[in-house]
Amino acid sequence: MSPEIPLSPEAAVSRFLQSLAEPARILVAISGGSDSTGLLVALAEAVKADPHSKFSLCAATVDHDLRAGSADEARDVAALCQSLSIPHRIAVWHGAKPKSGIMAAAREARYALLAATAAGFGADLIVTAHTLDDQRETLIMRGKRGSAGDLDTGIADAVLFDRSIWIARPLLASTRGDIRRFLTSRGVGWSDDPSNHDMKYERVQTRAAMPADAVARELPQPEGRAALADAAADWLTEHFTLCAPGLGRIAIEGISAGNPAFAYALGRLGAVFGGQSFVMGAQSLQRLLTFLGTGEPGRVTAGRVVFDKRRDGLYFSREDRGILPLSLSPGTSGIWDGRFRVFNGASFPIRIEKSGGIAAETPSESRLPKSALKRALAAQPAIFPADDANVSGAFLGAVALEPYFAPFDRFLTRFDFIFAGRLTAAFGTRPYPTLPLGLIDGKTT
């Protein structure tokens, strides 16, 4: 680790623009707070200063409709964008709001609305104004919860959302204080969201307890995380195979409980096969590694996945329980069990359930362990007309079904990009869109 030297907003934005590999239309997510306002103004200045700039800007404000005054703040942002000649749209989170988990739900809604707005603008990239202060708070919060043994670099500088658009964070090396000084020097004001002072939220509690000199202290360096992920990707290519639908196998020579790359890959494979958005917790992963370290055959269940150690390798699949059905109306899509994305192109509703072992064994699967194969096939999807109508099985041709990688397909950090790409190759599914940044923090990606 080394001390993070804060960059001014101007320097951070300049470095970001230089890192972009191609000309781009950039959507700036702006709430009206100091961080996002600083990002917008700094980008606007940089683009305007270069008469031959290959970049253009547009902006979006998400009104979560959670408190009085949010609509007025969004209109203030619209006025600022108009003064800067930047096209701007307000996206409102309509509908009923959950009574619990509101922050997570708001985050999902925010990114979905930003992605839709970016598509409407024809934007190639979204930028958000996460700062060095946010990075510090995130690392402290994750440290309290513990991790699954990864090198935790906190907030990623680039994330692919919903397999469709990359989101970059140009100000991760800038402090909130520097951003506010920058805005003050330009005579630009900002609004303060009252929720940023509400002590019921963990981040606000963390911020209040954080030492004044926290942003000057050491941060983990992203190179370590990237190197570990790359090593795990190489390990995956060499030792992992999808040997049957829903059944993964790690070759016996690839099992190395003391290898950090193996632990990194195993945690993510477990999340993929279990349909979980997050890598299994540190205790579960350690229990699994301890079991594998004995070298003895046997079975362990962790993260909704059954790991079956045999003499020729480790077989694993979704456990055959807790798999809920999914109903889809015509023309709609959904995620089934966190493992498959399904689109219903039929003219009537459909229902997706676990097959319960309906799928037939193929000759190529005849040498696999019978119990492991039976378990995997039983947890595979089966599709039926939702109303049990007597229709031809030809309707299945109108239903599109593809593997869904729960820890990657909604939010894929650039650290995991190569690993996740190798996984798409192993499953024979479509690759992820290429990272639009040729450089990250001055280093080639």
Side-chain angles (χ1 to χ4, degrees), residues 138-260:
T138 297
L139 287 165
I140 291 172
M141 290 189 295
R142 291 182 182 176
K144 287 178 182 176
R145 298 187 194 108
S147 67
D150 291 346
L151 294 175
D152 196 347
T153 50
I155 301 171
D157 39 25
V159 175
L160 179 66
F161 175 72
D162 205 28
R163 272 186 171 261
S164 61
I165 190 164
W166 280 93
I167 302 167
R169 282 92 179 238
L171 298 184
L172 270 182
S174 301
T175 68
R176 184 164 295 117
D178 283 345
I179 294 169
R180 292 186 171 186
R181 281 186 284 274
F182 164 75
L183 288 173
T184 300
S185 72
R186 268 61 173 179
V188 179
W190 61 87
S191 61
D192 280 316
D193 185 339
S195 66
N196 288 330
H197 305 283
D198 192 335
M199 293 297 289
K200 74 181 179 183
Y201 297 118
E202 180 188 13
R203 185 171 291 277
V204 179
Q205 297 168 13
T206 302
R207 186 176 303 147
M210 199 161 58
D213 64 343
V215 292
R217 296 183 179 183
E218 291 185 342
L219 283 176
Q221 296 302 295
E223 291 78 13
R225 165 74 182 269
L228 178 59
D230 289 353
D234 291 340
W235 174 95
L236 187 79
T237 300
E238 185 174 356
H239 300 295
F240 168 78
T241 54
L242 183 68
C243 51
L247 183 62
R249 177 181 178 271
I250 295 172
I252 194 69
E253 60 271 18
I255 301 174
S256 177
N259 179 2

Side-chain angles (χ1 to χ4, degrees), residues 12 54 81-82 108 127 149 168 177 206 223 234 338 395:
K54 58 183 180 178
C81 291
Q82 185 176 18
E108 283 282 338
V127 293
T206 302
E223 291 78 13
D234 291 340
F395 82 90

Side-chain angles (χ1 to χ4, degrees), residues 120-131:
F121 271 126
D124 308 293
L125 180 69
I126 297 171
V127 293
T128 62
H130 293 82
T131 66

Side-chain angles (χ1 to χ4, degrees), residues 294-306:
T294 66
E296 296 297 321
R299 286 197 300 270
V300 167
T301 300
R304 309 201 310 181
V305 175
V306 178

Side-chain angles (χ1 to χ4, degrees), residues 12-32:
V13 160
S14 175
R15 184 175 72 173
F16 165 70
L17 292 177
Q18 291 173 19
S19 76
L20 288 173
E22 299 176 352
R25 184 159 176 77
I26 303 168
L27 177 75
V28 184
I30 173 169
S31 66

Side-chain angles (χ1 to χ4, degrees), residues 392-433:
S392 166
F395 82 90
L396 292 175
V399 178
L401 185 146
E402 67 174 350
Y404 180 81
F405 302 144
F408 304 133
D409 278 13
R410 192 64 171 170
F411 293 98
L412 172 60
T413 73
R414 64 102 173 171
F415 302 117
D416 283 321
F417 179 69
I418 293 177
F419 181 88
R422 300 281 179 87
L423 200 61
T424 64
F427 274 72
T429 191
R430 59 194 171 105
Y432 293 97

